[in-house]
Amino acid sequence: MSIQQYQAIKQGGPFKLVTATAPKPGPHEVTIRPKALSLNAIDWKNFRFGATVPGWPTVLGIEGSGVVESVGDGVTSFKPGDEVMNWIQRTQYNGTFQEVYTARDVVVAKKPANLSFEEAASLPIAFLTAAAGVAVGLKVPLPGLPGTEAINPAPKSILVIGGSSGVGSGAIQLLRLALPSATIITTSSVAHHAHLKSLGANTCLERAAQEDSAALKAAAPGGAGVDAILDAVGAAADSPAIYDAFKSDGPKLYALVLTRPGVQLPDGLQSTLVGGQNIIDKNPAAMEYLTKLLAEGKYKLPLKVEVVGKGFEAIEKGLDRIPQNSGKKLVISL
Ligand SMILES: NC(=O)c1ccc[n+]([C@@H]2O[C@H](COP(=O)([O-])OP(=O)(O)OC[C@H]3O[C@@H](n4cnc5c(N)ncnc54)[C@H](OP(=O)(O)O)[C@@H]3O)[C@@H](O)[C@H]2O)c1
């Protein structure tokens, strides 16, 4: 059987629909026919700069939702016809921008019936990365998801840099769930402050505060600084005042989301570089945990979903919006 792939022929385009052989799932893999695709910063970085592209042409896209087409040996949680949402770790020709793609079963979860395919497609990677930032990076275990080590005492005050990003808005919710009485401070454009408070932030600062050590420190309890920082957007490398937000005699926990290759961790902090895979490595049930939290109303859609177009041909224009994207998840409907 053949399928259509929306291949990026070379860096910067063009994209072209190309006929290819339909993929077959290997052990612990499923194939999925997508109904919606989300557009992520890495897709734009790959398309424009080839950030993690092993070779051209390639099929981009790391996240989607759709219907399971077939399952490989050892897959017990899914069957053909199931409605699912997923992340994938891309290879040259296995990205989500095609009619059928392959995903490892551990990065797939059942789509909650009350969410549209577009909403579901917006969830997995931000959730996994936020969960890794909280549980692996800040050593704050997530209730009901064993497998991560705790630091004792747990941080009492946390600064989330980039609260209006997919990862940041997910992390605020998970921190509130794990540490009900902690102080959560975040930075974003003012337009998103009310929403971030509704997700669990106590204090929202304008992005300009990231250049102002005194303002960051003053926002923490007693003006003493914070125990932990989760840098969801990799901002501290360019705004070192962020590091001054740490409490001088605190644990100085710093979780940095991997946003570009070759990033250096700062000295003198308890630093961890995190990506979505880190939480799967700690507990392969992390995606099931997402479904459970959604069903229990403990995790909300972190960001508004904007459908930027229908069909593969809408992808390029959608990707061009990524650098200016603010507080939304951009999604393509199929
Ligand atoms: N390694 C991994 O596994 C992994 C997984 C997911 C994401 N990532 C990376 O993590 C980053 C975040 O991804 P995402 O999908 O969550 O991003 P996103 O939602 O597309 O991020 C857009 C938001 O980030 C905020 N932002 C951008 N630059 C900022 C800065 N310097 N300071 C503060 N806020 C800033 C903007 O805030 P305002 O508009 O409110 O100002 C905007 O709302 C990306 O670089 C992505 O590539 C890595």
Side-chain angles (χ1 to χ4, degrees), residues 32-174:
I32 296 168
R33 188 172 283 271
K35 298 270 201 188
L37 304 169
S38 82
L39 303 179
N40 281 280
I42 190 65
D43 300 321
W44 176 77
K45 293 178 211 176
N46 279 334
F47 182 55
R48 290 288 163 206
F49 311 113
T52 64
V53 174
W56 305 93
T58 193
V59 182
L60 299 172
I62 58 164
E63 191 170 50
S65 65
V67 178
V68 172
E69 187 99 336
S70 59
V71 302
D73 287 347
V75 174
T76 53
S77 307
F78 306 103
K79 58 181 186 326
D82 282 348
E83 295 185 346
V84 294
M85 53 193 179
N86 71 280
W87 172 45
I88 61 171
Q89 277 184 315
R90 240 177 35 82
T91 58
Q92 185 170 2
Y93 292 102
N94 188 46
T96 55
F97 299 171
Q98 59 183 313
E99 281 182 339
V100 179
Y101 55 77
T102 308
R104 290 179 303 145
D105 56 358
V106 286
V107 293
V108 181
K110 297 260 173 66
K111 178 184 90 62
N114 63 336
L115 294 185
S116 65
F117 281 105
E118 287 74 14
E119 289 169 329
S122 78
L123 285 164
I125 185 61
F127 169 80
L128 291 172
T129 312
V134 171
V136 182
L138 300 187
K139 301 178 176 42
V140 172
L142 297 168
L145 187 72
T148 50
E149 294 152 33
I151 192 161
N152 195 12
K156 292 193 174 66
S157 49
I158 304 103
L159 170 62
V160 177
I161 297 291
S164 61
S165 65
V167 177
S169 53
I172 290 170
Q173 297 189 68
L174 294 175

Side-chain angles (χ1 to χ4, degrees), residues 45 129 164-167 189 192 207 210 257-259 275-276 325-327:
K45 293 178 211 176
T129 312
S164 61
S165 65
V167 177
S189 305
H192 308 305
R207 260 175 71 170
Q210 292 172 194
V257 170
L258 178 61
T259 60
N325 183 31
S326 178

Side-chain angles (χ1 to χ4, degrees), residues 136-296:
V136 182
L138 300 187
K139 301 178 176 42
V140 172
L142 297 168
L145 187 72
T148 50
E149 294 152 33
I151 192 161
N152 195 12
K156 292 193 174 66
S157 49
I158 304 103
L159 170 62
V160 177
I161 297 291
S164 61
S165 65
V167 177
S169 53
I172 290 170
Q173 297 189 68
L174 294 175
L175 283 166
R176 179 52 69 222
L177 182 68
L179 300 171
S181 55
T183 298
I184 302 173
I185 302 160
T186 193
T187 58
S188 81
S189 305
V190 177
H192 308 305
H193 285 185
H195 174 61
L196 300 182
K197 284 190 176 165
S198 79
L199 297 181
N202 299 92
T203 303
C204 298
L205 303 173
E206 292 186 41
R207 260 175 71 170
Q210 292 172 194
E211 314 298 334
D212 183 346
S213 316
L216 289 172
K217 210 156 203 158
V226 293
D227 293 329
I229 298 178
L230 196 162
D231 189 348
V233 290
D238 299 323
S239 303
I242 288 171
Y243 302 124
D244 297 334
F246 280 117
K247 194 188 283 176
S248 54
D249 58 352
K252 295 192 175 78
L253 289 157
Y254 179 60
L256 173 61
V257 170
L258 178 61
T259 60
R260 54 187 177 217
V263 79
Q264 299 286 321
L265 284 170
D267 294 330
L269 307 175
Q270 293 199 63
S271 305
T272 315
L273 194 59
V274 289
Q277 180 61 38
N278 295 116
I279 195 69
I280 302 277
D281 292 343
K282 294 287 181 190
N283 191 326
M287 282 290 283
E288 274 173 49
Y289 182 65
L290 167 61
T291 311
K292 183 168 167 285
L293 291 185
L294 288 163
E296 292 170 352

